[in-house]
Amino acid sequence: MSSPGLAYLPLRPAVGIALFGPDGRVFVGRRLRGQVGTWQMPQGGIDEDEAPLDAALRELVEETGIHEVRLLAELPEWLVYDLPPDTDPMPRWASRYRGQRQRWFAMRFLGSEDSIDLATEHPEFDAWRWVPLADTPALVVPFKRSVYERVVEVFATFARPTATS
């Protein structure tokens, strides 16, 4: 729940990406800013007049350098979280929004791990790894946990190795 002072603010439109590797695990990055040292899947804001899928593909490149993906699914509903009043530090966008409403996408990573590059123009992560999808709720900050639990529930079918030919 947001603080009473933020209750009048809207939710920031955003996206999240569950990026599945060939073995069925998902990509997580360790945050460089904000809740430093916590892990999360790639995510970010939707620009004005930008479609959610376009935002997801852009955020993936901006945060990881990854271009080679295939869309698997889109979560049918928006997932919402409010920033707790004691969030420290508050995100840059917190003066305009009380939290986020996120559209989540499942994508399959098609590239080589050599193409993953965290040294982007505005780095978000200082490390990355592949983890079982079911482990992700325990890795994120507590106020995002229910969002990740829903992502796990809906995208669990993709958390398996891909067939090799």
Side-chain angles (χ1 to χ4, degrees), residues 13-17 44-47 49-59 74 78 101-105 107:
V15 294
I17 303 101
I46 299 173
D47 292 339
D49 298 325
E50 186 177 36
L53 178 57
D54 293 336
L57 293 168
R58 176 185 51 75
E59 285 291 338
E74 179 178 350
W78 292 90
R101 64 182 179 94
Q102 297 178 321
R103 183 59 66 126
W104 278 82
F105 296 89
M107 298 183 186

Side-chain angles (χ1 to χ4, degrees), residues 4-69:
L6 299 178
Y8 69 94
L9 292 173
L11 292 165
R12 178 183 185 227
V15 294
I17 303 101
L19 181 66
F20 291 89
D23 67 355
R25 293 180 299 162
V26 292
F27 178 100
V28 293
R30 188 173 59 200
R31 291 184 53 88
L32 196 57
R33 297 191 307 262
Q35 285 68 46
V36 174
T38 60
W39 295 82
Q40 69 179 37
M41 291 185 267
Q43 57 189 62
I46 299 173
D47 292 339
E48 193 173 329
D49 298 325
E50 186 177 36
L53 178 57
D54 293 336
L57 293 168
R58 176 185 51 75
E59 285 291 338
L60 192 59
V61 171
E62 287 179 1
E63 294 185 2
T64 67
I66 295 172
H67 293 269
E68 306 87 4
V69 297

Side-chain angles (χ1 to χ4, degrees), residues 29-151:
R30 188 173 59 200
R31 291 184 53 88
L32 196 57
R33 297 191 307 262
Q35 285 68 46
V36 174
T38 60
W39 295 82
Q40 69 179 37
M41 291 185 267
Q43 57 189 62
I46 299 173
D47 292 339
E48 193 173 329
D49 298 325
E50 186 177 36
L53 178 57
D54 293 336
L57 293 168
R58 176 185 51 75
E59 285 291 338
L60 192 59
V61 171
E62 287 179 1
E63 294 185 2
T64 67
I66 295 172
H67 293 269
E68 306 87 4
V69 297
R70 177 172 41 92
L71 178 64
L72 300 172
E74 179 178 350
L75 200 87
E77 75 268 13
W78 292 90
L79 301 182
V80 173
Y81 71 84
D82 286 338
L83 289 170
D86 61 348
T87 302
D88 185 32
M90 281 286 188
R92 293 182 306 254
W93 48 263
S95 63
R96 297 183 319 259
Y97 302 101
R98 72 175 191 266
Q100 293 197 79
R101 64 182 179 94
Q102 297 178 321
R103 183 59 66 126
W104 278 82
F105 296 89
M107 298 183 186
R108 182 73 63 190
F109 178 58
L110 302 176
S112 158
E113 287 189 1
D114 294 342
S115 68
I116 299 172
D117 183 7
L118 302 183
T120 60
E121 186 175 345
H122 303 286
E124 293 281 334
F125 304 126
D126 66 359
W128 67 272
R129 61 185 170 149
W130 299 104
V131 300
L133 178 65
D135 291 356
T136 60
L139 298 174
V140 300
V141 292
F143 60 87
K144 293 182 183 179
R145 199 155 289 147
S146 65
V147 168
Y148 276 63
E149 288 167 349
R150 179 68 176 142
V151 169

